[in-house]
Amino acid sequence: MAERNGMVEKRGAGLWLTHLGLIIGVLFIFFPIWLAFVASTVTQADIVRPPMPLLPGDQFFENYGRALTSGVNAPVATMLLNSMVMALGIAVGKIAISLLSAFAIVYFRFPLRKLFFWLIFLTLMLPVEVRIVPTYEVIANFGMLNSYQGLILPLIASATATFLFRQFFMTVPDELAEAARVDGAKPMRFFFDILLPMSRTNIAALFVILFIYGWNQYLWPLLITTDPDMNTIVMGIKQMFPSGDDTADWPVIMATSILAMVPPVLVVVGMQRLFVRGLVESEK
Amino acid sequence: MEKRVTFKGIWLPILLVLPQIVITAVFFFYPAGQAVWQSLFIPDPFGLSMQWVGLGNFEYLFSDPYYRASFVTTAVFSILVTVVSMGVALYLALLADRLIKGAGAYRTLLIWPYAVAPAVAGVLWLFMFNTRVGVVSWYLGLLGYDWNHVLNEGEAMGLVVVASAWGRISYNFLFFLAGLQAIPKSVIEAAAIDGAHFWTRFRTIVFPLLSPTTFFLLVVNIIYAFFETFGVIHTITSGGPQQATTILVYKVFSDGFVGQDLGSSAAQSVVLLFLVSILTVVQFKFIERRVHY
């Protein structure tokens, strides 16, 4: 009968239990990251004699300084730069080529239009993971191993982004294009002056998703960057573990893991509304 | 759906689609074609010539017990990752949906692990369960449980599943919460007035109304477990022990790049290609259904 009172939303003891359940969930999500953060602020000696402390130590500047300036194989500052170039290159490149091709497919009638559309659609079925060996050979033949072009270009074509923009362009009122045509505006003028400004929110939402996608790439940089100075940070962490029985430099490795998380997490938290929107739209 | 108003011109639109078509051709279709082509040959050990073997690579592949085992491993792994991450996410979303105030705050706290790369998640969980320095494995030792995922196959699988599911909870939570909030409160209140308790309401009203979201997440999560968990496996177990965590994508990598068995790796790529096609078609079917609801 008590149920009648609160009906669906919980009050009193039930409310506290609901909060408790959620807080346990949040702690479960946070715990691994908290532990990594603690490990990045203590000495190696604190870690190799388990159990390690559960509260941060005083080695924060020492460990992060060491990671950023020397790292293990390459300075982490270099790897951060590589990741930034790769993530921005993929996000900007994908958005640019997708905007152009969606514009062409929606606003023009030209021969082979249907064929091009289906060719783009089919790329949905070819994630990089299923074509790694031959794609690697293509990049090697172009001499693009250990280069930014090699990191970016194979990941840049995307059916998802093209479809998103196509869908959005379909909702743009026809009157706008008509008015532009009557005024004698060239198609590209219409694209830059009207369509592009109208797509701002969509572009921003997609940018958030694509930046994270690019930043978090692992397999592809692992294959094509054999030079430590071209490693991205996400794939570089694994390279910091010694082969064989040596003890890993845990404080530096954990500082690097934290540094690898900071940029994409800032993007998600800082642009939360755009992120949620981008996620929902790009899955449609 | 077609636009009524269009611009004139043939060369301009072709120029506009060209960047995407060129990149798609060079980095998607040509390599995929190569994979199909290479899967029909065996290169000699020096890579100087190729010998036509027809479907020989595939026959060899499917007679390889390790490859067949890899299918089972992939199925077990994908199902576990999907069930664990969706189960925890649904539980948290149900709780958050009951709050009048504060659901937004919990959403902020729960969504950002989406940004943590699978490979980084792998390193975090490896650190907790490391046999020498791991905190969790040390406390398990105190309780008398000797954790060793380097030797124990079941523990290795458990660890990669939890590490893969952990980062995925955010994504599923977001979609479940949106799905729950779209269910009209009046329907649930009407049931409550009729005396239906929480579990009955969930079983008879909430879960059926949530089914489009659930189907969608099911497919998306299986695709995630198939293709995007490479980083977790590579950082934590490298496919071991005794290939107990070698999922299909990992095997393409280890046979092609570590083992240099190009014919077999190409054949495996073709099998994967086939699987992705099926998953993509299924995904589209479900999404269409989602739109119709």
Side-chain angles (χ1 to χ4, degrees):
Chain A
M1 281 296 150
E3 181 86 349
R4 290 278 159 86
N5 211 3
M7 249 186 307
V8 182
E9 292 91 0
K10 282 284 170 185
R11 289 193 181 85
L15 180 69
W16 288 111
L17 280 177
T18 306
H19 278 292
L20 187 70
L22 281 163
I23 288 165
I24 291 173
V26 170
L27 289 180
F28 171 72
I29 299 275
F30 267 76
F31 185 66
I33 294 168
W34 174 251
L35 215 55
F37 177 70
V38 171
S40 72
T41 61
V42 298
T43 62
Q44 172 80 333
D46 288 329
I47 294 175
V48 293
R49 274 196 317 268
M52 63 170 273
L54 294 177
L55 291 172
D58 55 4
Q59 301 292 305
F60 179 89
F61 292 103
E62 157 75 18
N63 291 335
Y64 282 82
R66 209 146 51 88
L68 283 169
T69 53
S70 57
V72 174
N73 307 308
V76 173
T78 310
M79 301 200 285
L80 276 171
L81 174 74
N82 294 337
S83 286
M84 195 57 87
V85 173
M86 183 180 182
L88 287 177
I90 289 176
V92 173
K94 265 195 185 194
I95 289 173
I97 64 170
S98 302
L99 270 170
L100 293 178
S101 57
F103 176 55
I105 284 172
V106 172
Y107 279 99
F108 291 88
R109 297 282 165 276
F110 57 101
L112 304 181
R113 177 169 159 270
K114 278 262 141 65
L115 173 74
F116 286 153
F117 181 79
W118 281 104
L119 286 181
I120 294 170
F121 178 82
L122 279 175
T123 56
L124 274 182
M125 301 189 186
L126 298 169
V128 74
E129 284 79 6
V130 309
R131 52 190 165 88
I132 48 173
V133 179
T135 312
Y136 174 87
E137 285 166 4
V138 170
I139 289 293
N141 288 338
F142 283 155
M144 285 187 191
L145 297 177
N146 292 310
S147 75
Y148 288 133
Q149 303 92 290
L151 281 172
I152 294 168
L153 287 178
L155 301 176
I156 222 174
S158 150
T160 329
T162 312
F163 287 160
L164 181 67
F165 287 125
R166 175 180 168 269
Q167 228 169 4
F168 173 68
F169 291 165
M170 297 304 288
T171 67
V172 172
D174 279 350
E175 288 73 18
L176 290 173
E178 195 133 40
R181 237 176 35 175
V182 170
D183 288 349
K186 293 266 190 310
M188 290 320 285
R189 189 73 196 270
F190 169 73
F191 176 75
F192 283 113
D193 288 355
I194 296 172
L195 220 45
L196 213 51
M198 287 184 77
S199 317
R200 262 197 324 249
T201 324
N202 281 291
I203 293 176
L206 199 60
F207 179 85
V208 176
I209 302 296
L210 293 178
F211 179 84
I212 295 165
Y213 166 83
W215 185 275
N216 288 350
Q217 284 299 316
Y218 184 76
L219 176 58
W220 187 242
L222 180 71
L223 295 180
I224 73 152
T225 65
T226 44
D227 174 2
D229 280 327
M230 282 305 293
N231 285 358
T232 63
I233 187 164
V234 169
M235 58 111 5
I237 299 171
K238 163 85 173 173
Q239 312 296 315
M240 297 173 122
F241 286 93
S243 51
D245 251 3
D246 298 338
T247 309
D249 189 348
W250 288 108
V252 166
I253 292 178
M254 286 300 141
T256 310
S257 304
I258 296 288
L259 288 171
M261 283 183 244
V262 169
V265 167
L266 282 183
V267 167
V268 165
V269 175
M271 309 216 246
Q272 198 185 137
R273 284 196 41 216
L274 283 172
F275 162 69
V276 173
R277 185 185 165 131
L279 207 58
V280 174
E281 302 248 318
S282 62
E283 292 293 357
K284 265 184 196 161
Chain B
M1 235 179 17
E2 300 273 320
K3 273 271 182 217
R4 196 167 42 78
V5 182
T6 54
F7 291 100
K8 287 197 183 63
I10 289 174
W11 293 109
L12 179 65
I14 289 185
L15 203 66
L16 291 173
V17 287
L18 211 57
Q20 179 148 24
I21 294 296
V22 169
I23 286 181
T24 307
V26 174
F27 296 110
F28 283 74
F29 290 112
Y30 174 75
Q34 279 282 305
V36 175
W37 183 244
Q38 280 172 2
S39 71
L40 305 173
F41 291 90
I42 300 180
D44 74 32
F46 305 104
L48 298 174
S49 65
M50 305 261 277
Q51 196 199 338
W52 170 267
V53 290
L55 295 179
N57 280 323
F58 292 94
E59 277 167 31
Y60 177 76
L61 202 57
F62 283 101
S63 65
D64 175 7
Y66 276 122
Y67 190 64
R68 289 205 303 254
S70 177
F71 265 96
V72 179
T73 308
T74 310
V76 170
F77 173 76
S78 311
I79 291 169
L80 286 176
V81 169
T82 304
V83 168
V84 171
S85 64
M86 282 178 67
V88 175
L90 178 60
Y91 169 75
L92 291 174
L94 280 171
L95 289 178
D97 188 47
R98 286 154 72 109
L99 295 175
I100 307 167
K101 268 184 279 183
Y106 283 111
R107 194 178 79 169
T108 308
L109 286 173
L110 287 169
I111 62 168
W112 58 271
Y114 173 84
V116 177
V120 176
V123 173
L124 299 183
W125 284 84
L126 177 65
F127 180 60
M128 286 198 289
F129 283 89
N130 186 282
T131 46
R132 258 191 284 175
V133 305
V135 173
V136 180
S137 53
W138 190 82
Y139 281 107
L140 283 174
L142 274 193
L143 296 173
Y145 189 87
D146 189 14
W147 176 272
N148 193 339
H149 66 267
V150 183
L151 298 175
N152 184 307
E153 297 177 7
E155 287 169 11
M157 179 56 97
L159 190 54
V160 290
V161 165
V162 174
S164 306
W166 173 79
R168 199 63 186 172
I169 292 171
S170 318
Y171 181 93
N172 295 336
F173 172 80
L174 209 60
F175 278 87
F176 272 136
L177 186 61
L180 285 171
Q181 288 178 340
I183 298 175
K185 286 282 173 283
S186 54
V187 179
I188 297 171
E189 278 169 11
I193 289 168
D194 286 344
H197 281 274
F198 174 76
W199 185 240
T200 322
R201 294 201 303 263
F202 177 75
R203 217 163 28 80
T204 56
I205 303 171
V206 177
F207 196 71
L209 283 174
L210 208 55
S211 67
T213 309
T214 310
F215 274 131
F216 162 76
L217 286 178
L218 213 56
V219 178
V220 174
N221 278 288
I222 286 177
I223 294 178
Y224 162 81
F226 259 60
F227 298 105
E228 286 163 50
T229 51
F230 176 87
V232 176
I233 308 246
H234 192 241
T235 49
I236 298 185
T237 63
S238 295
Q242 274 100 50
Q243 303 213 11
T245 52
T246 300
I247 59 169
L248 291 167
V249 168
Y250 193 84
K251 202 162 164 57
V252 177
F253 163 80
S254 65
D255 288 354
F257 280 91
V258 185
Q260 294 287 326
D261 188 350
L262 291 182
S264 164
S265 174
Q268 291 181 35
S269 295
V270 173
V271 174
L272 276 182
L273 217 67
F274 185 67
L275 286 176
V276 193
S277 317
I278 295 176
L279 283 172
T280 313
V281 171
V282 171
Q283 188 182 7
F284 268 80
K285 279 248 147 74
F286 280 140
I287 286 166
E288 232 163 83
R289 194 194 263 196
R290 192 168 73 123
V291 173
H292 284 303
Y293 258 85

